[in-house]
């Protein structure tokens, strides 16, 4: 059996010490009698969030030291299949003895999660590291993972349902795994899109960076109404940070996040409260024989609630090249990547896309001037996260800058702040311009947007809303609105004539008199791609 040499071990210890990953006065060789059944815990050390913030600030003033796998040759051989056979034993779960409401289990290192993350249990201001041991995992007798040394670290962790539930051992509701990624289930009980601690240079001229959560400090909830408190230390080539998460398990999951960021070197695009999702196709961009399912996506649109109070719905695209859209704002009230289509018949898939959560960001303080930016990346399969949305402050992110943000994440099926007085856009469809039975113009595209909402039921018999539609280029013709028979849906349609292949930004809403009846529908039409779909 291959063992890590003393030289390799010293190199590993030196690397995490240089990065500030050992608490002051702590030695990872120190062990005390475990107070958690079956766990080997390090010596107790005082912990304070203010100290974690100070440590992140200090790290930003030093050169970046990347995390080092304890034995790269072994970790690199723990492939997808091998990793899938490594299961954390539930009888080693912290807080499963009743000291907390929600037990914790840990993810093993592997080829795709090779960077060690150090886990600490926190209670009454004292932190104790969970020392990795292969014995914590059910693994085949011949698994290469058995050759990793103790204290190799973990890849991440997850929170299980409360102990009072008979199924807590098999059901979890939040997980932190990989770089600064984390996710939670919504009120439909399903995982879907992810959030990140930070986004650095996404879709820019510089290579994108993926800073890592290097340490987690987990403080249990004493009852189901209390939050699980998570502190995290972030480190990357261009930025460091200290985070505090309050995780509430209620109707879906709610997370209060406070983060302190310190820029180590200039960043071209700094994304705050980043959301990451997948959009392959929906009813508006599916090609003939594209795939057998009607729709495949974790999210179908970006929803915005601007500082001025406007509600906007931007249907997502799967473009032919990377697209970045910016929605300038001052003190936004919220934004989110949403899964509006909840009809199982529109997916016909065993992976429950109709139950994937929406994720809404609610700022808890003024964010001043900036923009919600939407990044859309081409994909030809559902296995790739190709959508990102985040807040970008107006001022450049220069080395030496520091930031503090507070916001709340709502993981649930729908927007937590609905407006009954406004109808919502629920479907976007495209087709040939012109009218049935006529000689259809080949250079025009028809857009049909379906609106639903109780407010539309207040229209008098024979009363029709007014369409207000505009385009960044080209000509709008044949606007029309009509109720769809035997439904509570109104269809707003128009034709667009726009030469060339440059993108066209469309905007539309319904109104009655001077008052809006609907949110603002926005769409970026990609003529070249649209022609392929129509062909």
């Amino acid at each position: 059996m291959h063992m890590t040499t003393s030289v390799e071990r010293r190199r590993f210890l030196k690397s995490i010490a240089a990065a500030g990953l050992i608490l002051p006065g702590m030695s990872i060789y120190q062990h005390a009698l475990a107070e958690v059944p079956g766990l080997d815990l390090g010596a107790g050390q005082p912990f304070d969030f203010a100290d974690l913030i100070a440590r992140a600030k200090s790290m930003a003033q030093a050169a970046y030291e990347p995390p080092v796998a304890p034995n790269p040759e072994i970790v690199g051989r723990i492939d997808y299949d091998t990793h899938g056979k490594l299961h954390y034993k539930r009888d080693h779960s912290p807080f499963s003895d009743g000291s907390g409401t929600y037990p914790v289990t840990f993810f093993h290192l592997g080829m795709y999660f090779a960077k060690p993350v150090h886990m600490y249990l926190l209670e009454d201001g004292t932190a104790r590291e969970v020392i990795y041991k292969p014995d914590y995992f059910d693994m085949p007798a011949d698994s290469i993972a058995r050759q990793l040394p103790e204290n190799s670290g973990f890849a991440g962790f997850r929170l299980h349902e409360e102990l009072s539930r008979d199924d807590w051992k098999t059901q979890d509701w939040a997980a932190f795994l990989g770089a600064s990624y984390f996710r939670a289930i919504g009120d439909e009980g399903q995982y879907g899109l992810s959030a990140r601690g930070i986004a650095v240079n996404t879709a820019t001229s510089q290579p994108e960076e993926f800073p890592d959560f290097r340490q987690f400090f987990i403080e249990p909830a004493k009852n189901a109404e209390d939050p699980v408190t998570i502190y995290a230390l972030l480190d990357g080539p261009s930025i460091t940070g200290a985070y505090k998460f309050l995780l509430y398990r209620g109707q879906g999951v709610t997370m209060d996040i406070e983060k302190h960021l310190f820029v180590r070197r200039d960043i071209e695009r700094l994304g705050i409260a980043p959301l990451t999702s997948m959009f392959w196709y929906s009813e508006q961009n599916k090609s003939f024989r594209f795939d057998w399912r009607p729709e495949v996506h974790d999210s179908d649109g970006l929803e915005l609630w601007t500082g001025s109070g406007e509600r906007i719905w931007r249907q997502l695209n799967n473009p032919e090249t990377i697209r970045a859209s910016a929605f300038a704002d001052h003190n936004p009230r919220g934004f989110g990547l949403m899964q509006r289509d909840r009809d199982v018949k529109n997916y016909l898939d065993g992976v429950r896309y109709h139950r994937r959560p929406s994720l809404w960001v609610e700022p808890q303080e003024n964010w001043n001037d900036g923009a919600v930016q939407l990044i859309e990346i081409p994909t030809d399969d559902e296995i790739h996260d190709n959508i990102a949305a985040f807040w970008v402050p107006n001022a450049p992110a220069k080395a030496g800058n520091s930031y503090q943000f507070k916001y709340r994440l709502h993981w649930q099926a729908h927007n937590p702040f609905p407006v009954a007085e406004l109808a919502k856009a629920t479907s976007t469809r495209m087709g040939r311009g012109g009218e049935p039975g006529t000689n259809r113009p080949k250079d025009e595209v028809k857009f049909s947007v379906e609106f639903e909402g109780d407010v539309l039921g207040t229209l008098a018999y024979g009363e029709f809303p007014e369409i207000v539609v505009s385009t960044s280029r080209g000509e709008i013709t044949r606007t029309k609105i009509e109720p769809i028979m035997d439904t509570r849906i109104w269809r707003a349609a128009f034709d667009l004539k726009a030469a060339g292949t440059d993108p066209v930004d469309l905007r539309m809403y319904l109104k009655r008199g001077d008052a809006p009846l609907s949110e603002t529908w926005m769409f970026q039409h990609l003529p070249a791609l649209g022609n392929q779909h129509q062909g």
Side-chain angles (χ1 to χ4, degrees):
M1 181 172 67
H2 176 75
M3 299 296 292
T4 302
T5 67
S6 60
V7 173
E8 290 172 325
R9 186 171 181 84
R10 286 196 300 271
R11 179 171 174 264
F12 171 58
L13 297 177
K14 181 179 179 181
S15 69
I16 63 173
L21 298 181
I22 299 178
L23 289 170
M26 174 181 287
S27 166
I28 65 171
Y29 295 111
Q30 290 180 310
H31 296 271
L33 293 176
E35 296 176 5
V36 179
L39 283 187
D40 188 6
L41 300 182
Q45 296 291 327
F47 174 85
D48 183 81
F49 187 40
D51 291 338
L52 192 69
I53 296 171
R55 192 141 50 97
K57 181 178 181 179
S58 177
M59 290 165 56
Q61 297 168 2
Y64 173 65
E65 292 284 347
V68 178
N71 192 318
E73 292 183 2
I74 293 176
V75 172
R77 291 168 63 186
I78 303 177
D79 58 15
Y80 181 83
D81 291 334
T82 303
H83 194 268
K85 298 174 182 177
L86 306 177
H87 305 289
Y88 193 85
K89 297 176 181 177
R90 301 302 186 257
D91 55 358
H92 292 308
S93 301
F95 318 126
S96 62
D97 59 352
S99 58
T101 302
Y102 304 104
V104 172
T105 58
F106 301 110
F107 293 103
H108 201 282
L109 294 173
M111 177 186 297
Y112 300 107
F113 307 103
K115 300 174 183 178
V117 184
H118 292 265
M119 305 291 175
Y120 297 83
L121 305 184
L122 181 61
E123 187 173 15
D124 297 329
T126 298
R128 302 182 67 189
E129 185 179 4
V130 180
I131 308 300
Y132 165 84
K133 296 173 66 175
D135 294 346
Y136 298 159
F137 292 84
D138 282 321
M139 61 178 69
D142 60 349
S143 175
I144 187 68
R146 291 186 177 274
Q147 299 182 27
L148 286 177
E150 290 190 5
N151 205 49
S152 293
F154 302 93
F157 72 95
R158 55 187 169 186
L159 299 175
H160 285 252
E161 298 287 8
E162 61 181 290
L163 285 167
S164 61
R165 287 180 45 159
D166 293 336
D167 62 351
W168 75 262
K169 292 184 178 181
T170 59
Q171 301 298 316
D172 55 290
W173 56 275
F176 289 70
L177 178 64
S180 68
Y181 285 86
F182 58 97
R183 59 181 185 158
I185 64 173
D187 43 11
E188 301 275 344
Q190 181 73 32
Y191 282 114
L193 78 171
S194 300
R196 284 192 278 172
I198 199 70
V200 177
N201 291 335
T202 305
T204 67
S205 61
Q206 303 296 318
E208 183 168 10
E209 295 178 12
F210 297 90
D212 300 291
F213 283 136
R214 302 284 292 275
Q215 290 181 328
F216 287 109
F217 301 83
I218 306 169
E219 187 171 18
K222 298 302 182 183
N223 56 64
E225 289 73 35
D226 288 343
V228 177
T229 303
I230 309 293
Y231 299 93
L233 179 68
L234 179 106
D235 192 22
S238 298
I239 198 167
T240 67
Y243 289 67
K244 179 181 181 180
F245 298 83
L246 300 179
L247 280 65
Y248 296 86
R249 178 70 174 106
Q251 192 73 11
V253 174
T254 303
M255 299 180 180
D256 285 344
I257 299 175
E258 176 184 344
K259 60 187 178 185
H260 300 254
L261 303 170
F262 305 93
V263 180
R264 180 181 266 132
R265 66 186 187 192
D266 292 357
I267 296 173
E268 186 172 340
R269 175 177 281 146
L270 177 64
I272 304 299
L275 316 179
T276 301
S277 192
M278 180 275 294
F279 177 85
W280 187 10
Y281 62 87
S282 67
E283 75 276 350
Q284 120 275 347
N285 74 320
K286 181 184 178 182
S287 296
F288 179 60
R289 291 178 180 170
F290 202 55
D291 186 85
W292 62 270
R293 294 161 293 182
E295 301 185 33
V296 176
H297 49 75
D298 282 332
S299 307
D300 51 9
L302 170 68
E303 191 168 346
L304 305 165
W305 186 9
T306 69
S308 64
E310 185 180 14
R311 299 289 188 129
I312 295 173
W313 174 252
R314 166 58 155 80
Q315 171 71 45
L316 295 179
N317 262 321
N318 179 7
E320 78 286 359
T321 60
I322 296 176
R323 297 285 179 186
S325 302
F327 305 86
D329 204 355
H330 176 74
N331 292 334
R333 302 188 189 186
F335 67 92
L337 289 175
M338 317 300 282
Q339 184 77 317
R340 279 194 175 175
D341 193 337
R342 296 286 168 185
D343 190 340
V344 65
K345 297 190 298 295
N346 290 339
Y347 300 97
L348 302 176
D349 200 321
V351 296
R352 298 178 176 175
Y353 282 118
H354 65 293
R355 293 188 178 181
R356 302 297 170 102
S358 298
L359 182 50
W360 182 260
V361 179
E362 178 193 358
Q364 297 294 288
E365 57 190 4
N366 290 339
W367 284 9
N368 300 315
D369 293 322
V372 175
Q373 296 197 9
L374 173 67
I375 308 298
E376 296 167 303
I377 302 171
T379 187
D380 59 1
D381 206 338
E382 63 200 280
I383 63 173
H384 306 295
D385 282 348
N386 65 317
I387 302 295
F390 38 69
W391 173 257
V392 179
N394 264 2
K398 297 293 186 180
N401 284 7
S402 62
Y403 302 87
Q404 178 181 340
F405 286 91
K406 293 181 180 179
Y407 55 95
R408 179 170 294 161
L409 296 181
H410 300 265
W411 307 77
Q412 54 191 60
H414 305 288
N415 188 319
F417 304 101
V419 180
E421 296 78 15
L422 294 178
K424 293 168 38 175
T426 55
S427 292
T428 300
R429 307 179 193 276
M430 298 167 58
R432 292 184 297 167
E435 299 296 336
T438 66
N439 187 15
R440 302 287 189 96
K442 294 184 178 181
D443 59 350
E444 296 185 19
V445 177
K446 184 176 294 295
F447 288 85
S448 174
V449 182
E450 295 167 9
F451 288 92
E452 299 182 48
D454 292 340
V455 66
L456 296 177
T458 66
L459 294 167
Y461 180 77
E463 182 182 9
F464 285 72
E466 179 183 350
I467 301 177
V468 181
V469 58
S470 61
T471 178
S472 62
R473 68 179 190 86
E475 180 184 3
I476 298 291
T477 62
R478 301 186 186 89
T479 59
K480 180 180 180 182
I481 187 163
E482 60 184 357
I484 301 178
M485 295 294 292
D486 301 322
T487 73
R488 301 182 67 183
I489 301 172
W490 284 74
R491 177 191 295 122
F494 62 89
D495 286 5
L496 170 69
K497 182 177 182 179
T501 59
D502 291 339
V504 182
D505 291 309
L506 300 166
R507 183 182 181 98
M508 177 175 65
Y509 69 95
L510 308 181
K511 72 173 186 175
R512 176 169 53 185
D514 294 330
L517 280 176
S518 75
E519 65 187 1
T520 301
W521 167 88
M522 298 182 70
F523 186 75
Q524 186 174 80
H525 174 49
L526 308 174
L529 194 60
N531 293 337
Q532 294 174 19
H533 291 157
Q534 294 173 55

